[in-house]
Amino acid sequence: MKNGKEAVLGRTGMKVGRLGVASSYGVGARDLEWAFERGVNYFYWGSARRSGFRDGVRSLSAKHRDRMVVVVQSYSRVAKLMEWSVDRALRSLKLDSADVLLLGWWNRQPPERIRDSAARLVEKGKVRCLALSSHHRPYGATILEKGLFDILHIRYNAAHRGAEKEIFPQVKKGGPGLVTYTTTRWGTLLKRPKGLPDSVPVPTATDCYRFALSNPAIDVVMSGPANHDQMKSAVDALEKGPMVEDELTWMRKVGDAVHKQAPKASVFSTAVAELDRFRGDVDLS
């Protein structure tokens, strides 16, 4: 149930632990298995694909494949490369299929050739359902309202709370599932920002995850642990449960101070924006 340790991931019908784990940060096989034993089953094979995470998925899938939700990400803007990319990921993980194909970082509707290529992978049984990640909340709201994909991945944390008004009200029973990411805001919520009084505590990673998990609109909150201590900090959020109002108010106060120190756009985000800018002008399929 929502606000607990489990949820049904929207219209996919898949039962998920409300904490997900990404492959990019270094968490190893043993810690992935440890987390699985505590209800974590949403495993995201993302941008950086590390051997420890791979080995953990391989080990778990040998015995528990029916209880796992494995997400394979593709940033491809070239339709003909998408199936190759998915096949490569499946070979690495030693899986016959993935539960989710995530089209990475689209801030507006992908062109038809990309959507068609993804849909063919569903028809072939290589993926079970389709997700899309976006940093553009108005487009994310459209996905939820019109049901354009099975799952939406969107940014949400104490410093970036726009989803509370633009995204969460669009979540409907039987509609797309909702997954959030950048829960610690790339670690900046764990450091004291300028302007925050010394009397106000700085959140821990557990606090950041609890903040996001407190919102019942969210099915899965992603984590990016690098080691056992960080994995435990994330799992502890599940054990401690939702925040009370006083805690939420504190997190918002810290988040507001952090937001005032927002960094410039990353080189990667700028590159993706440029790809999207020309996506209608150049057909690379």
Side-chain angles (χ1 to χ4, degrees):
M1 65 179 191
K2 293 286 187 71
N3 263 1
K5 297 181 180 180
E6 293 183 344
V8 175
L9 188 55
R11 70 187 185 202
T12 72
M14 293 186 289
K15 184 180 290 186
V16 288
R18 294 196 66 220
L19 184 75
V21 186
S23 65
S24 301
Y25 301 93
V27 68
R30 183 176 297 180
D31 293 323
L32 210 61
E33 294 176 49
W34 178 88
F36 180 78
E37 292 171 358
R38 288 155 180 81
V40 177
N41 74 334
Y42 194 83
F43 300 126
Y44 173 26
W45 192 236
S47 305
R49 299 174 171 182
R50 301 183 185 274
S51 59
F53 191 98
R54 176 203 65 200
D55 293 345
V57 170
R58 287 179 178 180
S59 176
L60 285 169
S61 64
K63 295 181 180 179
H64 307 292
R65 181 65 185 94
D66 60 333
R67 294 168 53 196
M68 300 167 65
V69 178
V70 178
V71 183
V72 170
Q73 177 179 266
S74 173
Y75 280 120
S76 179
R77 268 55 178 171
V78 182
K80 287 183 179 179
L81 291 181
M82 189 173 296
E83 184 167 8
W84 171 86
S85 175
V86 170
D87 286 343
R88 183 169 178 264
L90 294 177
R91 285 196 301 271
S92 181
L93 297 172
K94 293 187 176 179
L95 298 177
D96 295 326
S97 63
D99 300 288
V100 181
L101 170 59
L102 175 64
L103 305 183
W105 208 325
W106 289 91
N107 288 334
R108 46 183 171 169
Q109 182 78 336
E112 185 176 1
R113 61 182 181 274
I114 293 291
R115 303 197 307 272
D116 288 348
S117 182
R120 283 193 292 271
L121 293 175
V122 176
E123 294 171 1
K124 292 181 177 182
K126 294 187 177 184
V127 298
R128 182 173 171 181
C129 60
L130 300 178
L132 182 140
S133 70
S134 181
H135 279 243
H136 187 56
R137 289 190 297 268
Y139 174 50
T142 299
I143 288 174
L144 294 176
E145 181 184 1
K146 297 185 178 181
L148 301 179
F149 290 86
D150 300 308
I151 304 163
L152 171 67
H153 280 226
I154 199 81
R155 179 176 63 176
Y156 177 67
N157 55 58
H160 294 285
R161 303 194 303 273
E164 293 175 357
K165 294 182 178 180
E166 297 179 69
I167 296 294
F168 300 157
Q170 302 299 328
V171 174
K172 304 172 185 176
K173 185 176 181 180
L178 182 64
V179 178
T180 61
Y181 55 85
T182 63
T183 314
T184 68
R185 197 181 174 276
W186 309 288
T188 58
L189 282 165
L190 311 182
K191 304 172 184 177
R192 182 172 298 279
K194 294 179 181 179
L196 186 71
D198 291 341
S199 59
V200 179
V202 175
T204 65
T206 301
D207 294 325
C208 294
Y209 292 118
R210 286 184 66 212
F211 177 82
L213 287 164
S214 296
N215 197 300
I218 301 170
D219 295 313
V220 179
V221 173
M222 291 304 304
S223 65
N227 51 47
H228 177 74
D229 287 346
Q230 292 181 10
M231 186 76 261
K232 185 177 185 303
S233 293
V235 171
D236 282 349
L238 287 176
E239 300 298 330
K240 291 184 177 182
M243 287 184 158
V244 298
E245 190 57 41
D246 286 350
E247 292 174 302
L248 294 172
T249 299
W250 158 59
M251 287 293 296
R252 294 183 189 112
K253 184 174 184 178
V254 176
D256 288 344
V258 169
H259 189 265
K260 290 179 181 178
Q261 301 178 176
K264 295 179 180 179
S266 69
V267 172
F268 181 72
S269 63
T270 301
V272 172
E274 286 301 305
L275 280 173
D276 289 348
R277 178 183 172 190
F278 291 107
R279 86 205 204 299
D281 302 324
V282 181
D283 186 349
L284 300 175
S285 63

